[in-house]
Structure formats: C-alpha cells, structure tokens
C-alpha cells in the first residue's frame, strides 16, 4: 500500500500486460523440461496509475493490470497440485504439533509454557491454513480427499470445515461489500446503532475484536443471523445441509477427544496444552484477516 501511495501522482495510460517466458535449461523441471520465468517487465511507472483532481492516487480506480495478467505471469507449474507434497507438508505440521506438546508436557516448567503457547498457537494456524487450502480445493485434485483432510484439520482446532468453507467462498465473492461480505465488512450506522454495547466492544474495538473468530463462527458478523453450525442457516443452500452436518459430526468427535484427554491429563494440563494455544491461534487468525481488508 505504501508503494501505491508513493506511486500516486499521474494520469492513467494503457495497461501494460505481464508476460511469461519458458526457456529450456539443464536444471529444468523434469516433467516439462523447461523452467518458466517471468519476463523482465519495466519498472512500474507513475504513468500507470490514475490521479484524483488533487494529484493523489485514485484508490477506487482499477489497477493498471488485470487478474488475467497476473495469472499469465505465474509459471504454469505453480498451478499444479501435488498430493504427495501436500501430505508431506501436513505430516511435518502434525509432527511439530505433537512434538511441541510432548516436549512442553515433559519439561513442565513455568518459563516454558508461554513460549509453548505462542509456538503451538502458530502451528494451530498452520493447520487452519491446510484446511483453508482444502476448502479452495488446492490440496489435491481429489475433492473428496480435500474435504476429508479439511474436516480433520479444521475440527482439530474447533473450526467447522464446511460451514466456514462456504461462508469463506461468499467472502471472496463479496470482499468489502457492506451487505454481502461475511467477515470484517464495514458496518453501516443503521446496524451499529442496533448492536448491543457488548457486541460493539467485542466486534468493533481493539484488542477484543482480535478474539472474535469463535463468536463469529457461532453467530456470524454484525447485522447477520444464523450460524456456521446451523444447517438451516441462510448461509447455506438446502443441498449443503448434509455437508454442514458432516463437519458438525467431526467437531463432536474432536470435543470427545478433548474431553477424554482432560480426564486423562487433568484440566490444568489441557489448559496449557490446548486451550491457551487455541486462543493464540485465534489471535493470529484475526490479526491476519483483519489486516487484509484494513491494510490502508
């Protein structure tokens, strides 16, 4: 955003398409025999951006390139899905999660637990990202496999995979739309005036809004009704109800696992091992998703 603001002072000119070159090299991709390279494009010019009458950049104007330009500039092999590589990364994430938990539980020292909470909260976020990519069907080419892995990874951190996936799809289709966006959308005064004081603080003020994610899953954003857990919510079309029920079943299973672990290890251990890292994960997620539409 800073670069855009600094490059803000001129009238628009014709769009400059991005290009891709594919050149053969000795260390080329073994399957294709080429190494795609983005063509050398001239340094972005001030000429490319539209100005307001006062000389500042017009942030409402379309950028001087299209989404297709961006897609064309990405080497073709970056669009290929590799199931084994995806599982390899997931295996590393799971190993780190269990390794951190085992180490912290074994050492069990007051100075170590805060470090563990931050590290494990970050790893919970890594699991969320795997489920996120499954929701976008980028984990593999198999939708059934993607949805299964997504349900496992998301339920492990108490996120209803299909409920969240569907609302996330709506978010991407309506990003920043006051009425139709699903997360972090601008709240009109008419809705703000009807909000309960506690909701205003919890949803619209810092730092409390950085812990809003589980409440959003339960009751959505201000001005909206329904829940990510409710198959009859207007978030979903009738054909999606079985999917929501499936994710709820995975969630119930995870709650059972957590209950059994609490009985076996004790409430204090589970507070340290799972509950506090969970809230650090929520903080990471909310900070990241909040900054995305509020970067300006």
């Amino acid at each position: 955003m800073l670069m855009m603001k600094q490059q803000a002072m001129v009238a628009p000119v014709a769009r400059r398409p991005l290009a891709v070159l594919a050149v053969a090299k000795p260390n080329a991709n073994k399957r294709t025999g080429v190494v795609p390279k983005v063509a050398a494009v001239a340094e972005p010019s001030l000429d490319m951006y539209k100005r307001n009458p006062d000389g500042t950049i017009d942030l409402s104007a379309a950028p001087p390139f299209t989404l297709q330009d961006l897609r064309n500039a990405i080497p073709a092999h970056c669009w290929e899905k590799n199931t084994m590589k995806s599982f390899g990364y997931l295996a590393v994430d799971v190993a780190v999660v269990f390794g951190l938990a085992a180490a912290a539980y074994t050492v069990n020292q007051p100075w170590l637990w805060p470090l563990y909470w931050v590290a494990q909260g970050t790893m919970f976020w890594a699991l969320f990202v795997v489920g996120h990519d499954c929701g976008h069907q980028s984990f593999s080419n198999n939708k059934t496999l993607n949805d299964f892995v997504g349900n496992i990874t998301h339920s492990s951190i108490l996120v209803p995979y299909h409920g969240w996936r569907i609302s996330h799809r709506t978010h991407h289709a309506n990003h920043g739309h006051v009425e139709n966006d699903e997360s972090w959308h601008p709240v009109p005064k008419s809705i703000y005036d009807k909000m309960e004081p506690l909701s205003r603080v919890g949803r619209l003020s810092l730092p409390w809004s950085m812990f809003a994610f589980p409440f959003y899953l339960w009751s959505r954003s201000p001005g909206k009704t329904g829940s990510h857990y409710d198959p009859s919510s207007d978030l979903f079309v009738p054909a999606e109800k079985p999917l929501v029920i499936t994710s709820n079943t995975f969630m119930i299973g995870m709650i059972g696992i957590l209950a059994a672990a609490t009985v076996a290890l004790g409430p204090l251990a589970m507070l340290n091992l799972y509950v506090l890292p969970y809230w650090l994960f929520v903080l990471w997620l909310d900070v990241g998703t909040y900054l995305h539409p509020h970067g300006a």
Side-chain angles (χ1 to χ4, degrees):
M1 296 304 297
L2 178 59
M3 182 182 71
M4 291 180 65
K5 290 176 180 178
Q6 291 174 338
Q7 295 175 335
M9 302 295 182
V10 295
V13 295
R15 296 173 182 263
R16 300 183 182 180
L18 304 176
V20 173
L21 297 178
V23 295
K25 283 196 173 183
N27 60 346
N29 182 285
K30 292 180 180 179
R31 191 183 68 81
T32 63
V34 299
V35 176
K37 279 191 173 183
V38 177
V41 179
E43 188 74 18
S45 168
L46 297 178
D47 302 3
M48 300 171 69
Y49 299 94
K50 184 177 180 180
R51 291 174 63 187
N52 291 313
D54 64 358
T56 61
I57 190 170
D58 182 359
L59 295 178
S60 67
F65 49 83
T66 67
L67 287 176
Q68 191 60 48
D69 290 334
L70 292 177
R71 290 181 66 89
N72 292 342
I74 298 173
H77 74 274
C78 294
W79 299 102
E80 297 177 359
K81 303 171 189 177
N82 187 320
T83 303
M84 295 306 298
K85 182 177 289 188
S86 295
F87 270 114
Y89 285 126
L90 176 58
V92 171
D93 288 343
V94 172
V96 173
V97 166
F98 280 97
L100 288 172
Y105 184 76
T106 301
V107 176
N108 193 23
Q109 292 294 319
W111 60 267
L112 181 60
W113 283 115
L115 300 176
Y116 166 80
W117 301 334
V118 174
Q120 192 70 294
T122 304
M123 291 310 302
F124 282 9
W125 191 16
L127 294 177
F128 176 86
V129 171
V130 173
H132 167 277
D133 291 351
C134 288
H136 282 290
Q137 302 302 314
S138 61
F139 185 85
S140 76
N141 287 311
N142 187 312
K143 185 178 186 302
T144 300
L145 178 62
N146 292 339
D147 288 346
F148 177 74
V149 173
N151 271 306
I152 292 292
T153 53
H154 270 193
S155 62
S156 72
I157 50 175
L158 301 181
V159 176
Y161 168 71
H162 279 300
W164 175 85
R165 175 185 65 80
I166 293 166
S167 73
H168 187 62
R169 177 190 65 199
T170 304
H171 162 68
H172 274 295
N174 300 276
H175 190 272
H177 194 287
V178 173
E179 297 175 349
N180 297 333
D181 198 356
E182 278 297 322
S183 59
W184 298 121
H185 59 81
V187 176
K189 187 176 186 301
S190 58
I191 294 178
Y192 179 83
D193 290 341
K194 296 176 182 178
M195 293 175 64
E196 297 291 333
L198 187 60
S199 295
R200 293 180 185 178
V201 173
R203 293 294 189 95
L204 302 175
S205 65
L206 297 173
W208 311 114
S209 58
M210 295 298 97
F211 298 95
F213 183 61
F215 304 99
Y216 158 73
L217 292 175
W218 185 258
S219 60
R220 300 175 69 188
S221 295
K224 300 183 183 296
T225 59
S227 170
H228 289 77
Y229 302 96
D230 181 7
S232 299
S233 172
D234 62 7
L235 263 173
F236 316 116
V237 299
E240 293 169 334
K241 289 184 178 181
L243 300 176
V244 178
I245 293 173
T246 297
S247 291
N248 288 348
T249 303
F250 274 87
M251 291 281 290
I252 292 171
M254 183 60 192
I255 291 172
I257 292 173
L258 293 175
T262 301
V263 171
L265 302 177
L268 181 60
M270 287 304 292
L271 175 71
N272 281 315
L273 287 171
Y274 189 90
V275 176
L276 293 176
Y278 168 82
W279 284 106
L280 264 296
F281 146 67
V282 168
L283 177 63
W284 274 122
L285 179 65
D286 280 344
V287 167
T289 54
Y290 178 85
L291 290 176
H292 178 206
H294 293 82

